[in-house]
Amino acid sequence: MKALSVALLLALLASVHRIPLTDYCFFSRSRLCVLWELQRRFLLFTGESDLLSVPPDPQVQGRETERSFENQKEKNVSKQEALNESQLLTMQDTFSSQGEDLARRKKNEERGHQLYKMSNKILKHSKSKKDKEEAYQLLTKAADMGHLKAMEKLAAALLFGYHGPQNITAAVTLYETLAEKGSHRGQTALGFMFSYGIGMEYNQAKALVYYTFGSLGGNLISQMILGYRYWVGINVPRNCEAALTNYRKVAFFIADKLEKNEEMPVEKVRLMEKSENLSSNNDFLDWDVHQFYKFLAERGDTQIQKAFYYFLKAAKAGNTHGMAFLGKMFLEGSVAVTQSNASAFKYFTMAAEKLYRNVCELGSWSEKFLTAYFAYQDGNIDSSLIQYALLAEMGYEVAQSNSAYILESEQVKILSNDQMYPLALLLWNRAAAQGNAFARVKTGDYHFYGYGTKRDYVTAAIHYSLAVDHHIAQAMFNLAYMYEHGLGIPKDIHLAKRWYDLAAQTSPDASIPVFLARMKLEVKRLFSEIQLFKQTTIPAGKKSHATSWKTVCIIAYLTSYKHTFIWRHPSVQKTPFQRFIGL
């Protein structure tokens, strides 16, 4: 639009002054000059020449524009330099602060490592309680400085109650921090606590997740726990190959330690089998013998080491040679069996799995059997339970039995009453699945009385029947009792007498209870006959004698029932009948 107006103006001027349009281009060295010339001629044409001004000099104006541009540029450069300087100062401050933080962190790490080493040195060489307390104070300072190993050791001390009171809440906090940092020990500990509901909710799914992460991080305890779970099928499908894979990783590590004389087996004490009048000196004598053998082995006496190793290994249950032999038969296809690579692999896997598992159980963590036992002897029940429970989670049958035994003693404070019996039943059942006949009887008892589960006489009878196969007199007696009263199985007095007699033949300790049980049966039979005889032959005036006979029979029955009940089941809880008769 402006171009059109200018063109019209030029055409008008050209027509009025009769000046060619091209002459105006002479003045168009710049757009400003052209416009000024147009303005000048227009004002002359209109008679307003006094309004004319001196035309601007393009060169002068160019210099002024350039000077203005240079000034603006200088101002921008100054601003940018100031901004750059400010940013540089900020970056220098940031780098300086980061450097100071890094130096401070490195200094703390070095200091924490020194405190951790000092703590370990004191714990290794000192036996006094005061020195150990000082060692754990140093360990606490190292943990506060963020030293990872110090945090792990302090958390274990708080969880298991080493050299001080237990603090489950503090242990959970530390382990959660460690797990976030990627510590496989922290992940394994959280899995263990979720598995038992110690310090947090009972959640087997979360336990399995943490065990898996711990195993992937190289934690041997997590790998052993997963090996056991896949072997038995605890919250995972049974998978022999997965069990073998996990056990193999641990076994190779332990075998290397055994070869270097760095690991020694320990004695595994069954709490339920310890006699009440056993002197504590005998217990410490066992510990001294263990220490003596360990001392000889550490000096390089390989004969002593091998003897001690094989003595303990021979005591373990399970005939691995038989499994391997069956595998060989199936692989070669002997006369007795048809060749089957699948069956051969199955039996070879079972044999290898059992051997790997035996090696795994020789790890340094087995020393918790000693610390757990001495904690129990000293009355630190919660500390003892935690240590046995971890070993039980790893698949140690003795630890499963001992944990269940402690739980039903009703002395545990770190678990609620609602948790006690379900966990005890779970552990008795796992121990029974590994061949512990006494645990099988206890599992039957829990179903018989409804401890930690609903009362189920049928299931109780099944467990007693399985225990009978191991020639357990207690199971025979319990089964006879159930046949006598028709509990869970059809009532059969003849089978009851037979099982009572077998119990007496199996164990001399059962002789008196069986005698009383048989007497009870006879009294019941006699009482029935007297009732029948009274109704048919005794005159009305002689009923007082019948009453006397009835009283004698009831007294004899209650007496025999009392003693029978005492032997039949040393219950962890008293029934109303037991309280009534003064048990």
Side-chain angles (χ1 to χ4, degrees), residues 83-139:
L83 180 62
N84 291 342
E85 185 177 357
S86 175
Q87 290 177 346
L88 180 61
L89 291 173
T90 303
M91 291 175 64
Q92 288 176 349
D93 292 341
T94 302
F95 286 135
S96 176
S97 177
Q98 289 178 350
E100 290 176 0
D101 290 343
L102 184 62
R104 191 183 303 110
R105 193 180 304 115
K106 186 175 181 181
K107 185 177 180 180
N108 283 341
E109 288 178 358
E110 292 176 355
R111 179 58 178 163
H113 186 64
Q114 291 175 357
L115 292 173
Y116 176 72
K117 288 175 65 177
M118 291 170 60
S119 173
N120 279 346
K121 187 175 181 180
I122 295 173
L123 290 172
K124 186 176 181 180
H125 298 287
S126 180
K127 300 297 181 184
S128 69
K129 184 178 179 180
K130 184 178 180 180
D131 289 341
K132 289 180 178 178
E133 290 177 354
E134 180 185 352
Y136 274 94
Q137 289 176 358
L138 296 174
L139 196 67

Side-chain angles (χ1 to χ4, degrees), residues 33 65 79 93 191 247 260-261 282 375 391 403 430 436 504 570 583:
C33 294
T65 303
K79 289 182 180 180
D93 292 341
Y247 278 137
K260 295 177 181 178
N261 300 332
N282 292 335
L391 293 168
S403 299
R430 290 181 182 177
N436 187 324
L583 287 179

Side-chain angles (χ1 to χ4, degrees), residues 59 72 93 113 131 134 140 145 164 189 192 222 283 289 375 400 403-405 411-412 438 441 468 471 509 513:
Q59 294 181 355
Q72 186 65 34
D93 292 341
H113 186 64
D131 289 341
E134 180 185 352
T140 303
M145 293 178 178
F192 164 67
S222 276
D283 298 333
V289 171
Q400 291 167 349
S403 299
Y405 180 83
Q411 300 181 52
V412 178
F438 181 81
V441 175
V468 161
H471 307 287
D509 295 336

Side-chain angles (χ1 to χ4, degrees), residues 451-466:
Y451 296 156
T453 185
K454 293 182 179 179
R455 179 173 292 183
D456 189 343
Y457 292 129
V458 175
T459 304
I462 291 172
H463 284 288
Y464 292 145
S465 300
L466 292 172

Side-chain angles (χ1 to χ4, degrees), residues 267-338:
E267 182 182 6
K268 300 175 180 61
V269 179
R270 291 186 184 274
L271 298 180
M272 69 192 77
E273 295 178 359
K274 299 298 290 183
S275 174
E276 293 182 0
N277 60 358
L278 182 63
S279 172
S280 60
N281 292 332
N282 292 335
D283 298 333
F284 284 99
L285 180 61
D286 294 337
W287 169 245
D288 292 337
V289 171
H290 165 74
Q291 291 293 89
F292 176 69
Y293 276 117
K294 185 175 181 179
F295 171 72
L296 293 176
E298 288 174 349
R299 288 182 58 188
D301 193 330
T302 56
Q303 296 302 319
I304 289 293
Q305 185 191 25
K306 289 179 180 178
F308 188 46
Y309 170 74
Y310 283 112
F311 270 132
L312 291 178
K313 187 175 180 180
K316 295 181 179 290
N319 191 329
T320 55
H321 297 288
M323 296 177 187
F325 180 70
L326 283 174
K328 186 173 183 298
M329 288 173 63
F330 276 107
L331 183 64
E332 296 177 351
S334 65
V335 178
V337 297
T338 305

